[in-house]
Amino acid sequence: MSASRGVTVGRGMIGLLGLSVASVTLAPRSALAADPVAEHREVHDGVDRAIHDRSGEGDASSLELNPALLNSVYGIDLTVLGYQTVYDFARGAGFGAFASLNLGWGFALGFGVQAMEPGFRGDNFDFDLGHNRPTTKLSFGLAAGAGEWGSIGVGVHGLRRSGQRLRAPEVDLGAVFRLTNYASFGAVARMGPADLRDSGYRPVLDLSGELSLRPLGTRWLELAGGVTARADQSEGRGFGNFDVGQDLLPYGRVILRYQGLELAGEVQQVQTDLLDEDTLELIGTSTAMRGSVSLAVAWDYGVVGVGVHAGLGEAVDGVAIKARFTSQRQGRAYWGRLVDVEAIELGGIGSQRGLIATLRALERAEAAGDRAVILIKADGFGLGWGAGQELRDALRRVRDAGGHVFAWAETPNLRDYWIASVAEQVYTHPAGHFSTVGIGSRRLYFKDALAKLGVEVEAAHIEEYKSAHENFTRNDRSPADTEQRVALLDDTWEVVVHDIAQARGLSKAKVRELITASPLSPEAALAGGLADAVMHRDEIGENIGEDIGAKVSLREFGPTTPERETWGVAPYLAVVLIEGTIIDGKSRYIPLLGLQYTGGDTIAETLRQLRADSACKGIVLRVDSGGGSAFASEVMWREVQRTHAAWEKDKRGSPAIVVSMSDVAASGGYYVPVAADEIFAEPLTITGSIGVVSMHFDVSGLMDILGVGIDRVDRGSEAIDMNSIWQPWSEVQREKVREGIEQIYALFLERVAKGRGKTADEVDAVARGRVWSGKRAKDIGLIDEYGGLREALAEVRARSGQPGFRELELRVLPRRLTLVQLILRGAGSLVVEPVERAVSAKEREAREGEVLPQLLDAAAARLPLSLLFLPQDEALTMIPGEIEIE
C-alpha cells in the first residue's frame, strides 16, 4: 500500500457545527477527483446511522455507540436501525434491532443483533472484500449508575460470518458524566480482540470523547463535538504508527427539538480509501468530511426518523432510517386535530391530584387555541364549590382562546350544571333530569342519642363561632353558627345564579325561577334555556361535528411533552398538598375509602427537602383542609415560615413559596398558610375559622348503667387523669384545658397577625372561630388575591426569575403510594398509629376488666373517622363542623 498518492479531502477539527450537507457535497476536490473515494470501515463497525450520539440522549441502540447511555433510557426501549447505501463505494448497509430494559436500582441491560452488508454496491470489485463480508453482530450490554448524573457501561460484541463460528468478542467500556443540565461528557474505549484467526481482521482500538452542550438547560437545543482516535493494533503498528491527520477523526453536530419533532445535522471526518478509477484497486488512504441531516417525528410512545449522508460521492451517499418504541412518552408532534374531541369526566375528579391533572389538561387545550375541542361529562363532580370555580374558569379560558367546549349532563345537580353552563352547548339525555334544586347546609346532632347511651361530651372552645363541637354538645345549631353558615350560603347562591345567568343569556330572576321549579325534565330544561339539545349518548359526536363542521371522534389525550426534558434533575415547580384532616406524625391515605390525612411531619420533611434541592425553583402550598391537630399545624407553619425566610434572604438560591387555597382552608388549614406572604383563593373558598376547640368524651354514665365500677390510685397533679374517658372534667381540669386552648388561640392570633400585617386585636375581630367565603376574606384581608393554582404558579415562577420560554416540570408532593405499594409495605401501614393505639387500649381494657360493650363500639364506629387520628382532649384547630353546601 502506498500513501504517496493519497489525497486529503478534509483534515483537522471541524470549523463550524452549522456546516450543511450541501456545502460538503459541493466542496471542490483535488486534481485527482476522478479517482473514486471509498469509505473505510472496520469489521466491528455496526450498521451506519445519520447521527452518532455518545453523550447526549440514549436509546437501546446506544449499546453500539456508548453502553453507558443505556442507563439514561427509562423503562423498556426497542430501537430498529436500517441503512441503505446509494453511492457505490459507501459502506455500512444493513439492519439492526436493539432492546434495553432499565431494571431500576441504577442498572440497565441492553441486547442487539445486526445483519451487516458492508461491501460495495452491485458488481463493483471490492479490493477489501475479505474484510467486508456479510457479518452478523450480536451484542450485550450492562450499565450502572444514576442516569441523571452519570453512569458507566460495558458492551460485549461477537461477530459471526457465514460458515464460521462466533469469533472471540470485542469489549466496549463507556462512561457518561452529566455536568448539570447544561453539559454532558461521554467517553468510550472499543477494544477488539487480537486472537481472531482471520487474516482479514485488523484489530483496532478506538478511543472516543464527546462533549454535549445544552445552552438553554433543556433538550430544545443541543450542540456537541468530539473526536475518535483510531489506532491499528496489527503487529508492528499500534500507536507508534498513529497519524494525526489520518487517525484522529473529529466530528460535531447540532440538534433542534420541539415537542415531538427533532431536526439534527452532523459533520464528521471519516477515513477513506482512494481507488484506481479503472481497476478499483487501492492506491492510497485519506480522510473526507462527510455531512448528514436527519428528521425524526415522535407520537407518544413511538419515534420514526430518516436521515441522509453526503460527502463521498457527488450526491447522497446513503439513507438511514430509525424507528423506536418505548414505554416512556417521547413527545408528540402537533398537527391539526379538529376532528378529535377530548372527553373529560368530572365524576372522576375526587381529589386535589385529580383536579390538578385536569387543570393541566385544560391548559394544554387553551394553548392549542382553535384546535381544542373539549366535551365535559358534567355529572358527579366530587369536589366543592371552590374547586368547581377554578375548573369553570379554566374551561372559560379554553373558550376565550378560541377552543370549543361542549357539555353532556344527564342528571346534574346545581354544582354540576353550574360548571357545565360555561360550555357553548349543553346536551342532555331523553331519560335524564336536572336536579338543580338549589343549595343548602345540613348537619346531624348526636347529644341526645349519646345521652341515651350514658355518654356526654363537654367542649372548651374559642370563640362563639367555633362550632366543631356542636354535633356532640347541642341538639340544634347555635345562633353564631347559623349566622356564618347563612352568610356562606348567600355568597355561594349569589355567585352561582350570576354565573349561570351570564353564561346562558338569562336573567337572574329566570335562573332563580328555574331552580325553584326543579327537578326539571329534559324538555323543561330545553324550554327554559338550560339545555341546547336532547339526544342519546351515541349522537353526541354527530351533534358536535355539526356544530364545528367536521366529523369527530371522542378520545382522551395525555401530555404531549416528553417525559424527560433534561439530562439530570429538571428544574421544577413543586405543589405541596395539605389535603384532608391534619394529624400529628406521618400522612395517611386509605385508597379504598378515598380518605386523606395530612401529617405535620410529612409536610415539614417535604419542605425541608425542597429547600435543599437546587432544582426546585418554587413551591405552591395547595390547601384543601378544614384543620385538625393544632400541634401539627404549628409544625408545618414553622417550615413554611423558614422556607419563605430563606427565599427572602437568597432569592436566587432558594425557592419562593406562595399559597393556593382550594375548597376549604379553615382553622389549621388557614394556620399553616399565613407564614407565606401571598395567598390566593377563589371567591367561594371557605376561609378562616381562626379558633380552637377541645372535646372530652365522658362514658361514666354508661359505666353506671352497666354496673361497672372504676377505681384509681394516683400520685401527682389532678390533671393526671384529665384525658380519661371514664369521668367528666373536674373544675381544675376544666380550667387547665381552658388555659391550654387560650394559649393556642393567642399563638394562632400572633401567627395570623404577623403574616397578614395586622394587630392581634384586628385579627381577633374577624377570628373567634368564624368561617368566611373567599370573597369576604379578601375584603377583610385574610387573603391577597382571587385565583387558583394557575395564578399561584405564575406568581411563584415570576419570583423564581426563570425565563418564560423554559418549560418547568410540575411535581405534586408528597408522593402518594399506590395501593399495591401500601400492601407491599404491609397492610398495617394504612392506619399504623390508630391501630396501635386501639390495640394498646384493648389490651389495657382486657387487663383491667374494662371491655366496652358492642353497642358502644357500634356507636363509636359512626363517629367521623378523623377522630381516630386526633388525640383525646388536646387543642384542635378544626373547622366548625362539616361545612357542606349541596
Side-chain angles (χ1 to χ4, degrees), residues 564-597:
R564 296 195 60 80
E565 283 282 343
T566 59
W567 280 318
V569 178
Y572 66 92
L573 299 177
V575 176
V576 178
L577 291 180
I578 297 179
E579 188 176 9
T581 302
I582 295 172
I583 61 174
D584 295 333
K586 301 294 185 181
S587 294
R588 309 274 184 264
Y589 174 59
I590 306 178
L592 295 178
L593 301 178
L595 298 177
Q596 176 69 52
Y597 300 94

Side-chain angles (χ1 to χ4, degrees), residues 677-738:
D677 68 340
E678 188 76 13
I679 299 177
F680 292 88
E682 298 292 343
L684 296 185
T685 299
I686 297 174
T687 307
S689 189
I690 303 168
V692 189
V693 64
S694 180
M695 289 182 286
H696 177 75
F697 287 80
D698 169 26
V699 299
S700 59
L702 177 61
M703 297 299 99
D704 290 341
I705 294 174
L706 298 175
V708 177
I710 302 172
D711 181 54
R712 288 284 187 272
V713 178
D714 301 320
R715 296 290 185 273
S717 168
E718 187 175 340
I720 190 173
D721 211 20
M722 186 168 62
N723 296 336
S724 172
I725 64 173
W726 313 118
Q727 62 190 32
W729 276 333
S730 68
E731 287 300 324
V732 172
Q733 291 171 340
R734 189 174 293 108
E735 182 61 29
K736 291 292 185 182
V737 170
R738 186 70 188 181

Side-chain angles (χ1 to χ4, degrees), residues 373-681:
V373 186
I374 302 292
L375 174 65
I376 295 297
K377 298 180 179 180
D379 298 278
F381 182 58
L383 297 179
W385 293 96
Q389 195 163 34
E390 189 171 5
L391 183 60
R392 194 176 188 276
D393 287 344
L395 291 167
R396 176 183 50 77
R397 287 193 295 269
V398 173
R399 290 196 62 187
D400 291 344
H404 299 278
V405 177
F406 299 89
W408 172 254
E410 294 180 348
T411 57
N413 60 26
L414 187 58
R415 182 164 53 207
D416 296 335
Y417 180 76
W418 168 61
I419 297 172
S421 67
V422 76
E424 56 193 86
Q425 295 282 306
V426 177
Y427 305 137
T428 190
H429 195 278
H433 63 275
F434 277 50
S435 298
T436 51
V437 294
I439 57 177
S441 176
R442 303 290 183 268
R443 193 176 185 189
L444 298 178
Y445 295 86
F446 302 102
K447 179 181 179 181
D448 286 351
L450 292 174
K452 293 178 180 179
L453 298 174
V455 178
E456 293 187 3
V457 180
E458 185 175 358
H461 58 96
I462 301 178
E463 279 288 347
E464 66 272 20
Y465 294 99
K466 197 66 176 179
S467 60
H469 60 93
E470 291 186 3
N471 300 67
F472 308 104
T473 60
R474 295 179 59 92
N475 290 319
D476 57 2
R477 184 178 289 125
S478 67
D481 192 36
T482 299
E483 178 187 349
Q484 64 184 349
R485 289 172 185 267
V486 168
L488 285 173
L489 198 67
D490 288 344
D491 289 346
T492 304
W493 176 252
E494 179 183 347
V495 169
V496 170
V497 171
H498 171 272
D499 288 349
I500 293 175
Q502 185 180 59
R504 301 299 301 174
L506 303 172
S507 67
K508 292 182 181 180
K510 180 63 175 178
V511 172
R512 286 191 288 267
E513 176 186 329
L514 290 168
I515 293 175
T516 302
S518 294
L520 299 173
S521 67
E523 293 74 17
L526 183 64
L530 296 183
D532 297 287
V534 180
M535 65 190 70
H536 290 280
R537 294 174 178 175
D538 56 280
E539 298 174 307
I540 298 174
E542 180 180 348
N543 279 269
I544 293 177
E546 291 177 358
D547 283 329
I548 66 175
K551 185 177 180 180
V552 305
S553 61
L554 303 181
R555 56 179 296 189
E556 294 184 4
F557 291 91
T560 58
T561 54
E563 290 292 335
R564 296 195 60 80
E565 283 282 343
T566 59
W567 280 318
V569 178
Y572 66 92
L573 299 177
V575 176
V576 178
L577 291 180
I578 297 179
E579 188 176 9
T581 302
I582 295 172
I583 61 174
D584 295 333
K586 301 294 185 181
S587 294
R588 309 274 184 264
Y589 174 59
I590 306 178
L592 295 178
L593 301 178
L595 298 177
Q596 176 69 52
Y597 300 94
T598 294
D601 290 354
T602 298
I603 299 301
E605 178 61 24
T606 299
L607 291 174
R608 284 193 293 268
Q609 291 175 353
L610 292 174
R611 287 201 305 272
D613 188 352
S614 61
C616 179
K617 303 304 179 183
I619 303 168
V620 172
L621 191 71
R622 176 77 166 183
V623 182
D624 186 14
S625 172
S629 166
F631 182 84
S633 299
E634 171 69 14
V635 168
M636 291 187 287
W637 174 90
R638 173 60 176 168
E639 292 304 324
V640 174
Q641 187 266 339
R642 292 182 65 197
T643 303
H644 178 64
W647 176 76
E648 288 279 10
K649 183 177 180 180
D650 180 10
K651 288 184 168 59
R652 294 183 62 86
S654 296
I657 184 168
V658 302
V659 176
S660 168
M661 306 198 308
S662 185
D663 278 333
V664 180
S667 204
Y670 184 72
Y671 189 119
V672 182
V674 296
D677 68 340
E678 188 76 13
I679 299 177
F680 292 88

